[in-house]
Amino acid sequence: MNTSEQLLITGQKLFGKLGIKAVTVDDLCNDLPISKKTFYKLYDDKKEFVLEVMRYSIKQLKRELIACRRNCDNAIEMLFAQQDILSGFYEMRPLFDPEFLELCPKAVRLIISFREVFLAAGIERNLREGVAAGLYQEAFDLKEVTKAFLLLIDILLLTKGPDKAAAKGALMIFINGITTSCGRALLMQIRG
């Protein structure tokens, strides 16, 4: 692993734990350890580094989601496996604090694009596969259900504390509502 990748991983860890504003270039360099000179050879400033951390994180996330897709036996199993993967990304809560919007609007646009393009396409594909396999009902508008599902994922992934169980319950109710009787049996088997 090269210095740049080690620095990106350090950035993920520190930003996720402390928040972007709280982490200084000195903190990043001391954690590795590398010199500030090395940091500034790789990145012009902290904003550019934050953007690269988000690019790196999203690239990793896409790889994990694609691998998950290959390893799941059915559309319902895939929904829950991918939700677990996404939870890890959203656990870096300080990245989503309001200060993030101010400090790095390009990184925010990157996350929004990931959600609205990559995630939406994956959900819609999952819905199509579930319908084809007889696990989901055919009588719904795929685009609208995809939008609703994205909103539920947002709620689930951004909810913390005791409300987390309620958010998971809402997701279960939603999935239960789009499944066929065969799909509900599989859902109960998977989530027992």
Side-chain angles (χ1 to χ4, degrees), residues 1-182:
M1 188 180 318
N2 64 31
T3 302
S4 179
E5 190 171 2
Q6 288 176 331
L7 194 52
L8 292 170
I9 292 167
T10 298
Q12 281 179 318
K13 180 183 80 177
L14 292 177
F15 292 155
K17 184 178 176 185
L18 305 170
I20 292 170
K21 208 173 202 174
V23 176
T24 66
V25 171
D26 284 329
D27 295 331
L28 293 163
C29 293
N30 291 337
D31 197 76
L32 238 178
I34 61 168
S35 69
K36 283 176 81 170
K37 183 179 178 181
T38 301
F39 178 89
Y40 286 112
K41 277 185 184 177
L42 296 167
Y43 305 100
D44 290 337
D45 57 23
K46 185 176 164 184
K47 281 185 182 183
E48 180 188 354
F49 178 69
V50 170
L51 182 59
E52 288 307 312
V53 168
M54 291 314 301
R55 281 189 181 126
Y56 180 79
S57 299
I58 288 173
K59 186 177 176 182
Q60 282 183 311
L61 191 55
K62 284 180 178 179
R63 259 187 271 152
E64 287 180 48
L65 291 169
I66 290 167
C68 173
R69 182 174 159 69
R70 286 189 211 116
N71 296 327
C72 290
D73 294 329
N74 59 68
I76 294 173
E77 180 185 340
M78 187 186 326
L79 280 180
F80 287 104
Q82 289 186 336
Q83 173 226 318
D84 289 342
I85 292 167
L86 287 168
S87 290
F89 179 69
Y90 280 82
E91 286 302 314
M92 296 193 303
R93 286 191 206 293
L95 284 177
F96 302 98
D97 285 346
E99 69 184 30
F100 183 57
L101 292 168
E102 293 172 34
L103 286 173
C104 210
K106 286 182 182 177
V108 172
R109 286 193 296 275
L110 191 66
I111 293 169
I112 291 168
S113 175
F114 165 74
R115 179 191 177 278
E116 293 178 357
V117 177
F118 185 85
L119 280 184
I123 291 168
E124 192 169 329
R125 183 174 37 252
N126 179 283
L127 292 170
R128 286 185 198 287
E129 290 172 5
V131 167
L135 299 174
Y136 302 145
Q137 298 174 36
E138 291 184 48
F140 56 77
D141 180 329
L142 286 176
K143 297 278 185 210
E144 292 304 313
V145 173
T146 297
K147 287 179 192 175
F149 200 81
L150 277 171
L151 289 173
L152 270 173
I153 289 173
D154 290 346
I155 291 166
L156 174 65
L157 297 176
L158 294 173
T159 301
K160 50 187 165 185
D163 292 335
K164 190 80 163 178
K168 282 188 175 186
L171 183 62
M172 281 295 287
I173 291 167
F174 180 82
I175 295 171
N176 195 40
I178 65 169
T179 55
T180 61
S181 57
C182 178

